Structures are given as structure tokens and as C-alpha cells.
């Protein structure tokens, strides 16, 4: 019995040692100074030719397509992609450096995550990125696991990679945190209307009731026309938040207006009127647990009003021609789309007066601002 036990123990130890040796062989850091060069040596000179990028992974399958200088997402209504993100990824791929040779044994690819991407490789864990000019391939990457390092760094990271069609895998260094999720590539900023430009906000309920906020003659200070400085909001920052609803507004998703049906959902209209005569109108509904809104822009010179000196000093106000051009550009961008916005933004776009102001003893206390956001006191 003892002899059998000892044999099993020895066999187990041998097995563990062999597995460890295999892992060491795969992950081993070479102690030589070989310079293997760039992951894609010719890519930088070919970046201007790339007009199609295909992504495959267990998360998503989608593509990006370039028309002129702009990138679009054909798999999501051909909505614009974030130009800066696409440009950054292409440059990062062209600058990625090869550090060490790794395995060329297909049976060991999975350990590094370079075995391939779903659905082409059913059990694959890679992110596959193909760069193309038309139907012609320029570069193809199988992005595997990120290598763990003991010292955290904000600089380039190390990843296990394999070129598409090449058996050799590598340890590469670069900024290769490539998102495999389609919506992360969308141009998510809908509009950026500076809060300081806002002179007045009107929120109109389906029954005709209107809640109005006005700038109180000072940057970031808002109240109702009736109460002015004595306005008591549901929470102290609410007026500031409502007036800033369109400041760097980002969407969660987007739909073509022609395919959108509000059904029986109520529509609340909000008008954001700037000192320089720009009027942005939103129409928002709450449907199946989400907030959906459309936006339109107009120049109404009769609504131009005088801004306080501290707002004028910010240089955010525009001339008549600038506002006309801005409204035209916004309508071109926004008119065909319905945007799904966050619960915070959607709630503020639909607030009734009773949800904005209250009695002083009913104010909701707010925690201290520890993140640097909110108006300066």
C-alpha cells in the first residue's frame, strides 16, 4: 500500500513539474537583447489606405468603414464612429513593438489567448482585428492576454499577440487595449452646449404646464422667475444640473428616427434658450425603462438677452452668423436620430415644476462634493 502511495505521489510531482516547465517555456522572458522591431513594420506608411476595420471576438462582431475622412459603423445604422478613437487605435497598432518570440505550437496558443477569435474559432479567446483597403488585407492581429507585470505603469502594456496567418506568437508592447464592443466605438457625444450660455430653460408637460428656470445674472446661478434668488430646489444643485443637461451630453444608444415609435408614451418638451439666441428643443419620452429624446436647433434673434459680465468674460457667446451656422450644423447631425440617454439626464429633461422646487424644509441634503464637480460657491 505504501509502495503504491509513493508511486502515485511521485507521478503527481512529475506531472506538476512538467506542467510548470511547459508554462515557464511559454511565458519565459528571454535574456537576450534582440530587437525584433515593430509588430507591423509597414503599417504606418499604409494607414491612409485603411478604409475598413473588422472586429471579431466572443463579445461582438462588427466593422468600421471610412468614407472620406469620417468613420462609420455599418452594423449600427451607419452611425458615425469616434474619429479620435479609431485614429488612436490605428497609430497604436503601427507603433506596437515585438519584445520576445513565444510559442509556434498551436496546442499552446490557448495559454496565451492567441488561439483565434469566435465565431471562426469556437473556443477562441482572441480579439481579431483586420485592417483592409477595400477587400485587400493590410494587417491582421490576434490579440491575446495582457501580460501581468508586478509594477503598475501608465505607459504601454505588454500583450501576447499573433499575426493573422502566422504560426509564430509574440510578446508585444504597446497601447493595445482594443475594445471588442461595438458601442464603445460610437461617437457618443450628442451635443456640447455650455451651461454658461443658458439664459432660460422651459420644460413643457403634455398637459401644458411649464416649469421655467432662468439665469440669475451670475455664472452657474439659476432660479425660477417668481422666486429668483429665493428659489428652493429639491436639492441645492438641481437648477445647475438641469441647465447643464446638454453640456457634453452623451448617449447610451441611438436609433434612426424613421424606425422609432413612441407608442402611447408621453412626450415632454424642453427648450434651452441661450443668451445669443440659440434654441435647442428636446422631446423626451420614458419607454420600457429607458429615456429617449430627439433634439433640434433654431436661431431666434428675438430671444437674445443680455448676459452678465462674468459670463461675457468667458468668451462662450457667439455672433449671429456663428449661431446660424451652429444651428444648421446641429440639425444636420441630429435630425435623423433618436438618442437613448441616461436616467439622470432623462429625468431632468422631463421634470415637472413640482419635481424641481419645494419648501425649504423638504430640501434633499446633498453629500459634500469630493470630485471637483458642481458649481463653485
Amino acid at each position: 500500500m505504501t509502495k503504491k502511495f509513493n508511486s502515485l505521489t511521485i507521478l503527481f510531482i512529475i506531472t506538476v513539474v512538467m506542467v510548470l516547465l511547459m508554462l515557464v517555456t511559454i511565458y519565459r522572458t528571454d535574456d537576450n537583447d534582440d530587437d525584433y522591431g515593430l509588430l507591423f513594420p509597414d503599417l504606418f506608411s499604409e494607414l491612409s489606405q485603411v478604409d475598413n476595420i473588422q472586429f471579431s471576438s466572443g463579445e461582438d462582431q462588427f466593422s468600421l468603414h471610412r468614407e472620406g475622412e469620417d468613420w462609420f459603423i455599418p452594423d449600427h445604422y451607419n452611425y458615425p464612429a469616434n474619429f479620435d478613437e479609431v485614429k488612436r487605435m490605428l497609430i497604436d497598432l503601427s507603433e506596437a513593438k515585438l519584445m520576445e518570440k513565444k510559442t509556434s505550437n498551436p496546442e499552446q496558443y490557448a495559454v496565451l489567448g492567441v488561439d483565434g477569435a469566435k465565431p471562426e474559432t469556437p473556443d477562441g479567446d482572441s480579439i481579431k482585428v483586420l485592417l483592409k483597403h477595400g477587400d485587400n488585407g493590410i494587417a491582421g492581429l490576434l490579440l491575446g492576454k495582457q501580460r501581468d507585470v508586478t509594477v503598475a505603469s501608465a505607459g504601454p502594456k505588454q500583450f501576447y499577440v499573433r499575426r493573422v496567418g502566422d504560426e509564430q506568437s509574440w510578446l508585444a508592447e504597446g497601447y493595445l487595449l482594443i475594445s471588442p464592443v461595438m458601442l464603445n466605438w460610437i461617437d457618443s457625444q450628442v451635443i456640447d452646449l455650455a451651461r454658461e450660455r443658458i439664459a432660460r430653460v422651459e420644460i413643457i408637460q403634455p398637459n401644458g404646464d411649464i416649469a421655467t428656470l432662468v439665469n440669475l445674472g451670475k455664472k452657474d446661478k439659476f432660479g425660477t422667475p417668481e422666486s429668483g434668488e429665493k428659489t428652493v430646489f429639491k436639492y441645492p444643485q438641481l437648477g445647475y444640473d438641469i441647465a447643464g443637461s446638454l453640456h457634453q451630453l452623451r448617449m447610451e444608444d441611438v436609433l434612426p428616427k424613421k424606425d422609432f415609435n413612441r407608442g402611447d408614451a408621453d412626450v415632454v418638451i424642453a427648450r434651452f434658450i441661450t443668451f445669443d439666441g440659440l434654441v435647442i428643443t428636446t422631446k423626451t419620452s420614458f419607454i420600457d425603462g429607458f429615456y429617449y429624446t430627439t433634439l433640434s436647433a433654431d436661431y431666434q434673434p428675438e430671444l437674445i438677452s443680455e448676459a452678465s459680465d462674468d459670463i461675457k468674460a468667458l468668451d462662450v457667446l457667439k455672433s449671429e452668423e456663428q449661431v446660424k451656422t451652429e444651428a444648421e450644423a446641429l440639425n444636420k447631425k441630429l435630425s435623423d436620430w433618436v438618442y437613448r440617454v441616461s436616467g439622470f439626464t432623462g429625468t431632468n429633461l422631463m421634470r415637472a415644476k413640482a419635481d424641481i422646487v419645494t419648501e425649504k424644509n423638504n430640501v434633499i441634503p446633498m453629500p459634500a462634493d469630493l470630485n471637483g464637480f458642481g458649481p463653485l460657491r
Side-chain angles (χ1 to χ4, degrees):
M1 182 68 179
T2 302
K3 185 176 180 181
K4 182 179 181 181
F5 175 77
N6 289 339
S7 298
L8 291 174
T9 302
I10 293 171
L11 180 61
F12 173 76
I13 292 172
I14 291 173
T15 302
V16 171
V17 169
M18 291 178 66
V19 171
L20 289 174
L21 286 173
M22 181 189 74
L23 292 175
V24 168
T25 300
I26 296 173
Y27 287 109
R28 182 182 62 232
T29 301
D30 294 338
D31 293 328
N32 57 53
D33 295 325
D34 290 343
D35 182 4
Y36 292 108
L38 297 175
L39 173 60
F40 296 109
D42 302 322
L43 180 56
F44 187 81
S45 63
E46 298 176 317
L47 287 182
S48 62
Q49 300 178 41
V50 178
D51 58 14
N52 188 272
I53 308 171
Q54 296 177 356
F55 298 81
S56 299
S57 72
E59 295 278 347
D60 221 340
Q61 289 84 46
F62 62 98
S63 64
L64 306 177
H65 179 70
R66 180 168 61 84
E67 299 176 15
E69 295 298 317
D70 299 318
W71 286 90
F72 298 88
I73 308 178
D75 302 283
H76 204 61
Y77 317 113
N78 213 39
Y79 194 81
N82 187 316
F83 174 86
D84 291 335
E85 292 290 337
V86 179
K87 178 182 176 181
R88 184 70 262 167
M89 180 199 66
L90 290 173
I91 293 175
D92 288 342
L93 282 173
S94 72
E95 294 178 344
K97 297 178 180 179
L98 297 175
M99 304 295 291
E100 301 163 14
K101 279 187 176 182
K102 292 302 175 184
T103 184
S104 57
N105 181 355
E107 294 182 359
Q108 297 177 347
Y109 286 162
V111 179
L112 304 180
V114 296
D115 45 340
K118 294 181 176 72
E120 183 180 3
T121 304
D123 297 323
D125 289 327
S126 308
I127 299 173
K128 184 177 181 180
V129 183
L130 297 177
L131 309 184
K132 293 184 173 184
H133 174 66
D135 294 328
N136 299 318
I138 293 177
L141 171 69
L142 289 171
L143 179 61
K145 297 177 181 179
Q146 182 175 341
R147 182 187 183 190
D148 292 329
V149 292
T150 55
V151 180
S153 170
K157 310 297 182 183
Q158 294 183 354
F159 297 84
Y160 298 106
V161 301
R162 188 161 62 89
R163 300 185 187 103
V164 171
D166 188 353
E167 292 185 350
Q168 181 65 56
S169 64
W170 296 85
L171 177 67
E173 184 177 74
Y175 296 93
L176 297 177
L177 289 170
I178 298 173
S179 175
V181 179
M182 178 175 63
L183 287 181
N184 288 344
W185 292 95
I186 205 165
D187 183 5
S188 62
Q189 182 164 288
V190 179
I191 189 173
D192 185 13
L193 183 63
R195 183 185 287 103
E196 293 81 5
R197 287 178 69 186
I198 302 297
R200 184 182 183 93
V201 180
E202 299 172 349
I203 304 177
I204 308 165
Q205 300 297 318
N207 63 5
D209 288 347
I210 302 177
T212 303
L213 296 180
V214 295
N215 178 271
L216 298 178
K218 187 178 180 182
K219 174 180 173 291
D220 296 334
K221 296 293 290 184
F222 296 89
T224 65
E226 304 83 14
S227 302
E229 294 279 357
K230 296 182 180 179
T231 301
V232 180
F233 289 108
K234 284 282 188 177
Y235 63 86
Q237 198 173 305
L238 181 54
Y240 174 90
D241 287 342
I242 292 174
S245 295
L246 305 185
H247 174 58
Q248 295 181 349
L249 173 63
R250 295 190 176 276
M251 64 168 137
E252 295 181 342
D253 203 351
V254 63
L255 296 166
K257 187 182 291 185
K258 62 182 177 60
D259 297 337
F260 181 69
N261 183 5
R262 295 182 191 264
D264 297 328
D266 289 335
V267 180
V268 177
I269 299 172
R271 301 176 75 229
F272 294 80
I273 303 166
T274 67
F275 288 105
D276 47 24
L278 178 69
V279 180
I280 303 295
T281 302
T282 66
K283 296 182 179 180
T284 309
S285 298
F286 184 68
I287 303 172
D288 296 332
F290 296 101
Y291 290 91
Y292 295 91
T293 194
T294 59
L295 299 93
S296 60
D298 191 19
Y299 173 58
Q300 298 186 25
E302 69 277 11
L303 297 179
I304 293 175
S305 57
E306 190 72 14
S308 60
D309 290 341
D310 63 339
I311 292 176
K312 290 179 181 177
L314 297 173
D315 198 29
V316 295
L317 303 181
K318 301 184 178 183
S319 68
E320 177 179 351
E321 285 306 312
Q322 287 175 323
V323 176
K324 287 181 178 179
T325 301
E326 179 183 23
E328 182 179 352
L330 285 171
N331 284 327
K332 182 178 180 180
K333 174 184 178 180
L334 304 171
S335 61
D336 294 333
W337 304 100
V338 178
Y339 299 96
R340 196 184 87 196
V341 296
S342 70
F344 179 81
T345 299
T347 297
N348 285 339
L349 291 176
M350 298 186 72
R351 282 187 185 270
K353 186 173 182 179
D355 297 322
I356 298 175
V357 295
T358 186
E359 300 296 329
K360 193 166 186 178
N361 58 351
N362 290 330
V363 172
I364 301 171
M366 296 294 289
D369 181 6
L370 302 177
N371 298 312
F373 297 104
L376 296 174
R377 302 298 183 186

